[in-house]
Amino acid sequence: MAVTSAAVTSTAVRTITAGVYRHWLLGPIGHCPLGHVRRWRNPPVYRPLVDLSTMEERNLIITYRFDRATIQELCTQLEPDLMSAIRHPTGIPPQVQVLSVLHFPASGSFQTTVAMASGMSQPMFSNVLSRVLSALLKHMQSYILFPQVEDLPAVKGPFYALGHIPNIIGAIDGTHVALVPPTGVNRCTETGRVIIP
């Protein structure tokens, strides 16, 4: 009987110790049930956030594909939707949220890279991206207009005059990059493919 209670006590001590260590690693400063003080393993590090007022107009257009006036108008329009999501005094300001989300498609990069450039972590940027896109969807009708059926002849005319291609009602911007294989090497052996005669 004594062996069983010792085994139970040993298991309980290991479980409680693991719980204290987990709280010490993950929890904010405070007290855990055992009376130990919980502390951060490393103190939080706040990166400097991107600031619209310090950027030149040319850099704004290169980085975000919009000029200062358009970005400020967009920030003003989305601010009520984005301010309601800030529950912490050190939360991300709406202007930084909009700038980071505009930078994401303009750069064609990954979330981690855009998040670091904007001064936040990747999980935070993922939340910000979802929040800003939801706010943009609410205002979509004021920015994206599709022609109605009665407007189609008026829309087709200028496109036909421009390129002599009939029945065009819209255009999408994009970039075509030609992929050219390296010359002078055997591509099949370079990429590990087997040639079957």
Side-chain angles (χ1 to χ4, degrees):
M1 191 70 151
V3 175
T4 307
S5 66
V8 170
T9 306
S10 174
T11 305
V13 168
R14 274 187 271 133
T15 305
I16 292 170
T17 306
V20 170
Y21 183 70
R22 183 177 57 81
H23 286 300
W24 178 74
L25 281 177
L26 303 176
I29 295 177
H31 294 283
C32 69
L34 296 178
H36 299 288
V37 176
R38 294 183 289 181
R39 299 188 186 280
W40 292 99
R41 183 175 181 144
N42 293 318
V45 177
Y46 298 105
R47 300 181 188 128
L49 299 174
V50 65
D51 187 13
L52 182 64
S53 62
T54 60
M55 296 186 75
E56 297 177 7
E57 189 74 26
R58 183 173 184 274
N59 289 341
L60 284 174
I61 293 173
I62 291 171
T63 307
Y64 304 108
R65 309 292 169 103
F66 290 103
D67 61 347
R68 187 181 311 275
T70 306
I71 293 173
Q72 287 175 339
E73 178 187 339
L74 194 59
C75 290
T76 303
Q77 191 168 18
L78 298 179
E79 186 171 6
D81 297 324
L82 300 178
M83 281 300 289
S84 63
I86 297 178
R87 293 184 290 277
H88 195 270
T90 60
I92 309 285
Q95 184 181 36
V96 175
Q97 294 181 40
V98 172
L99 287 174
S100 61
V101 170
L102 289 178
H103 182 77
F104 184 54
S107 67
S109 187
F110 296 101
Q111 285 188 10
T112 306
T113 309
V114 174
M116 289 179 68
S118 301
M120 61 183 84
S121 66
Q122 185 277 324
M124 175 60 77
F125 176 72
S126 181
N127 293 335
V128 165
L129 180 64
S130 173
R131 195 177 308 139
V132 172
L133 291 179
S134 296
L136 280 172
L137 284 176
K138 292 180 184 177
H139 303 283
M140 182 177 72
Q141 285 75 23
S142 60
Y143 292 103
I144 301 173
L145 300 174
F146 292 102
Q148 301 298 321
V149 175
E150 59 271 5
D151 299 332
L152 290 181
V155 173
K156 290 178 183 179
F159 278 111
Y160 184 78
L162 184 65
H164 299 292
I165 302 173
N167 298 324
I168 302 295
I169 60 170
I172 299 174
D173 186 20
T175 303
H176 294 277
V177 178
L179 298 176
V180 180
T183 57
V185 295
N186 188 348
R187 291 192 340 234
C188 294
T189 56
E190 178 120 336
T191 59
R193 296 182 183 154
V194 178
I195 301 174
I196 299 174

